[in-house]
Amino acid sequence: MGIISLEHTDRLYWLGRYTERVYTTLRLYTERYDELIDAEPLAYQRFCTDLDIPDVYGSKECFEEKYPFDTMDPNSIISNLNRAYDNAVVLREEIGSEVLSYIQLAIYDIQTAYSSKDMLMGLQEVLDHILAFWGIADDMIESEQVRNIIKTGKRIERLDLYARLEMPASYLIREVDRMRFRLERSGMDYKKSYVEDLIRLVKEEKIDYYRIVNEVETILEV
């Protein structure tokens, strides 16, 4: 394929970010489900605080229903999945219909999970299809640059989320290395000095998570 337009570069990048956001937040939700729903009534508030999203729920029962499934909540899992789909549809020529189909399957899964007696099993199928999306994208997308732009978004989003969640330094170091590898191969303009800053920040004895989030969010040139 030829030169990728700025619009499609942006959409590829956000396809990577939104699919990663769905995967990591949904995995966190399912891993903490018993704590969030069955244990301490306000545990869901810590979940919101960890991810830096507003508590618009008011109760754990409301959170259980709305956070995964409410299309009117911009921070919900389904809202982020719909944003991934909106970008993927426009990018059909770049990524191919088979790759797109796995995002469509994930949307079907989450809609089905909403009315399922085994909601967690349905949500696990969403995770499985996001993983399949990444795998088929590697196999089926011919353009290395397209793949690298998607993976740049994926790695930037993961580093952002891991910093917000205050994950251990070993996780952050690994993700910074992966992010740098993809950035260098993506053809996108980015602030190289910020990458060097991030490498230093994740290796400090006392990690400044807030600064890492700030630099990750502004690493791309505008």
Side-chain angles (χ1 to χ4, degrees), residues 33 112-122:
Y33 183 81
T112 304
Y114 180 59
S115 56
S116 173
K117 292 181 179 179
D118 192 347
M119 181 189 71
L120 290 181
M121 180 61 70

Side-chain angles (χ1 to χ4, degrees), residues 20-193:
E20 173 60 31
R21 190 174 303 175
V22 169
Y23 179 78
T24 294
T25 56
L26 181 51
R27 190 182 66 181
L28 187 66
Y29 176 83
T30 55
E31 288 175 352
R32 293 190 185 181
Y33 183 81
D34 290 341
E35 174 192 353
L36 292 168
I37 305 306
D38 297 331
E40 183 184 339
L42 299 182
Y44 82 90
Q45 291 183 334
R46 290 199 301 273
F47 184 95
C48 294
T49 299
D50 287 347
L51 290 175
D52 194 25
I53 61 175
D55 174 13
V56 297
Y57 309 103
S59 70
K60 65 180 184 180
E61 292 79 13
C62 184
F63 176 80
E64 176 186 9
E65 178 178 357
K66 289 184 176 297
Y67 180 68
F69 305 115
D70 185 5
T71 58
M72 301 303 292
D73 177 1
N75 294 298
S76 70
I77 292 167
I78 194 169
S79 290
N80 284 308
L81 186 53
N82 283 336
R83 293 186 190 106
Y85 175 75
D86 289 343
N87 283 291
V89 166
V90 176
L91 297 165
R92 185 189 296 267
E93 183 176 342
E94 282 83 359
I95 67 175
S97 296
E98 189 170 357
V99 176
L100 169 63
S101 70
Y102 284 90
I103 302 295
Q104 294 171 315
L105 286 169
I107 289 176
Y108 173 79
D109 293 336
I110 201 167
Q111 291 171 340
T112 304
Y114 180 59
S115 56
S116 173
K117 292 181 179 179
D118 192 347
M119 181 189 71
L120 290 181
M121 180 61 70
L123 293 178
Q124 180 59 50
E125 291 179 356
V126 178
L127 292 174
D128 291 345
H129 278 127
I130 294 295
L131 289 172
F133 161 78
W134 289 333
I136 201 71
D138 256 345
D139 188 53
M140 298 295 294
I141 296 175
E142 292 186 9
S143 169
E144 183 178 1
Q145 186 179 10
V146 167
R147 296 197 305 270
N148 281 321
I149 294 170
I150 295 172
K151 290 179 181 180
T152 294
K154 174 183 177 178
R155 293 303 172 190
I156 285 179
E157 182 67 24
R158 183 171 292 185
L159 182 57
D160 178 279
L161 289 170
Y162 280 14
R164 292 179 192 275
L165 294 166
E166 298 189 359
M167 299 285 276
S170 59
Y171 288 76
L172 300 179
I173 292 169
R174 180 183 64 191
E175 294 308 325
V176 166
D177 285 343
R178 289 175 169 179
M179 181 196 69
R180 177 175 61 175
F181 179 86
R182 293 301 169 188
L183 274 169
E184 290 173 349
R185 288 157 179 78
S186 69
M188 302 173 74
D189 292 327
Y190 65 96
K191 300 172 183 174
K192 294 180 174 60
S193 62

